[in-house]
Amino acid sequence: MSTERAAGPGEATRRGPWRSRPWAVATFAVVTAAVAAAVAGTLLGGRSYAEVLDSFVPVNATMGLAFAACGLLVAWHRPGNAIGWLLLADGLGHATTAGTASLALYGDDAGWPMPLVRGLATAGAYAWPWSIGLFLPLILQLFPDGRPAGPVLRWLAWATVATAPLFVLEMGAGPQALITGLNGYLTLPGYHDLEPLWLVTELRVAAVALIGLVALVIRYRRGDEVLRRQLLWPLQAALLVVLVLVVWGCSRRGRSTSCWPCRSFPRRWRWRSCVISCWTSGWSSRVRCCTRC
């Protein structure tokens, strides 16, 4: 009888011919090309900086390049560690959104065929949620060796993988546009009828982020001096990001009375919706409105 245990999300792909340095370099090259497209589209387009910023092009381009650069370094020196590949995938999602959104803005002004422009907008809307909803939580949960810290965290990591498409669907299939006035394809006509599901999905975003922080704390407490030094900076950075998002999101409340969930959610859900939005501020145009309840 075999005594091998089931591998976690960070372990199942630790072996394979695709895990090699050329693939890491190729992925980073794609990310760099997407960021270059974002910069070119922004410089050549006629949109104002406010419109470009509103479509999150600078934010996604910066995050995409930063994550991919870190991923390339890890994957080059430790190709068997899933963290490097998760960092590359995270950067690819953000960079894809930056590049496609910028090109969609430019194409809309330049008179490109509307199916092409809407296709670019659709790709941008569906790319970045994978980074936020799947790759980043797994990075936190599996850091630094690419493996879960225990059996319970292994199952939670698999749950993160299984539920990630819900967040992607919420962000990509909604009637709200990544680019103001330019709707993509693959939207759900009955999107607003699924508000209870989207509320659960946003709770899930906060939950997987919290699981990642808990995993880092567990590893820190169990680890030796070397492991603790490896975990100290990521742990502090993760806590700082969460703090900034919460404070920034909540500080913007009261600036507008046109908050989307305050109009569309039942009264008993409104307060919870705005609190959840503080965790996800800046990750979608819909949630950006929510923080101004």
Side-chain angles (χ1 to χ4, degrees), residues 225-247:
E225 185 64 25
V226 174
L227 181 60
R228 289 187 174 187
R229 288 181 180 274
Q230 290 178 324
L231 294 172
L232 185 60
W233 286 106
L235 183 58
Q236 291 178 338
L239 291 172
L240 178 62
V241 167
V242 171
L243 178 63
V244 169
L245 286 176
V246 172
V247 172

Side-chain angles (χ1 to χ4, degrees), residues 12 18 28 39 67 78 90 96 120 138 165 207 245 251 278 288:
W18 61 273
F28 183 75
V39 174
F67 274 109
R78 296 287 185 272
D90 192 299
T96 299
L120 289 170
L138 286 181
L245 286 176
S251 67
C278 292
R288 186 176 62 254

